[in-house]
Amino acid sequence: MTLPFLETLDLACERDWRLLFEGLELRLRAGEMLQVSGPNGSGKTSLLRLLAGLMSPSAGEVRLHGRPIRRGSLGGELLWIGHAAGIKGLLSAEENLAWLCALHRPATREAIWRALAEVGLRGFEDVPCHTLSAGQQRRVALARLYLDAPALWILDEPFTALDKQGVSQLEAHLARHCEAGGLVVLTTHHSLLEKPSAYRELDLGQRAA
């Protein structure tokens, strides 16, 4: 049997001296989408940050392609978009994407403009992001999903501030990514209407330590 794309072994997370979850075992393979749910404070964002290598677990291990990961070690092996858009207001949409991509996978100006067009921001390439609405700033961040990106996407509340059309478009794009062999792990309070065939949900509220 092939190794899981991403897995956790006896994973535990403690924040502010409170145990959020423990003994978490996940086996995720290419083509899957995992939606992490649960009440506020159940550890959804913490779990995503552990999977992205942005935090160290209190116990256990996260493995990518069978290799244990350490905090800050993943680099260009995944695409992480957090709950905050992570956009610098003084930079334009194009400049923000060029800066973000340069950290791992540089993108050409033409590719960036095409990605911005995909998320409905044609004509906003040179506009400073502090002048954009919250929904438009979210679209700038999500434009990274239309550039050359790793197969693993970890997304914390990606539908925040999007209008109905933006939500529908993002749902379809995430489902296509999975059907093409990618892997998506996300949190959202939004009820997904379009899901890939290999969709499942993890409710951390049922695993409260």
Side-chain angles (χ1 to χ4, degrees), residues 96-119:
N96 266 288
L97 288 175
W99 175 75
L100 288 167
C101 291
L103 297 175
H104 304 300
R105 297 191 179 195
T108 65
R109 187 183 196 193
E110 291 74 19
I112 289 174
W113 279 42
R114 286 195 300 270
L116 288 169
E118 288 283 358
V119 296

Side-chain angles (χ1 to χ4, degrees), residues 80-143:
W80 158 264
I81 298 179
H83 185 266
I87 298 301
K88 295 183 179 296
L90 294 179
L91 299 182
S92 68
E94 178 189 342
E95 290 169 337
N96 266 288
L97 288 175
W99 175 75
L100 288 167
C101 291
L103 297 175
H104 304 300
R105 297 191 179 195
T108 65
R109 187 183 196 193
E110 291 74 19
I112 289 174
W113 279 42
R114 286 195 300 270
L116 288 169
E118 288 283 358
V119 296
L121 290 178
R122 185 187 302 275
F124 290 87
E125 299 88 352
D126 298 323
V127 175
C129 283
H130 71 85
T131 67
L132 301 179
S133 69
Q136 289 172 323
Q137 290 187 30
R138 172 61 58 176
R139 287 171 184 262
V140 173
L142 294 172

Side-chain angles (χ1 to χ4, degrees), residues 26-88:
L26 290 174
R27 304 287 185 275
L28 301 174
R29 301 187 182 278
E32 289 192 281
M33 175 185 287
L34 176 69
Q35 180 179 347
V36 181
S37 62
N40 292 339
S42 60
K44 299 186 297 295
T45 294
S46 293
L47 174 57
L48 263 60
R49 292 179 66 84
L50 288 170
L51 296 178
L54 299 174
M55 285 173 47
S56 298
S58 304
E61 191 171 69
V62 179
R63 292 181 180 176
L64 181 66
H65 300 304
R67 304 189 310 273
I69 68 170
R70 300 289 179 263
R71 182 173 179 178
S73 67
L74 290 182
E77 295 190 70
L78 62 85
L79 192 154
W80 158 264
I81 298 179
H83 185 266
I87 298 301
K88 295 183 179 296

Side-chain angles (χ1 to χ4, degrees), residues 13-15 18-22 41-43 46 204 207-209:
C13 180
E14 180 180 324
R15 296 297 303 274
R18 185 168 70 91
L19 189 62
L20 299 179
F21 55 80
E22 61 181 341
S42 60
S46 293
L204 286 180
R207 299 189 56 90

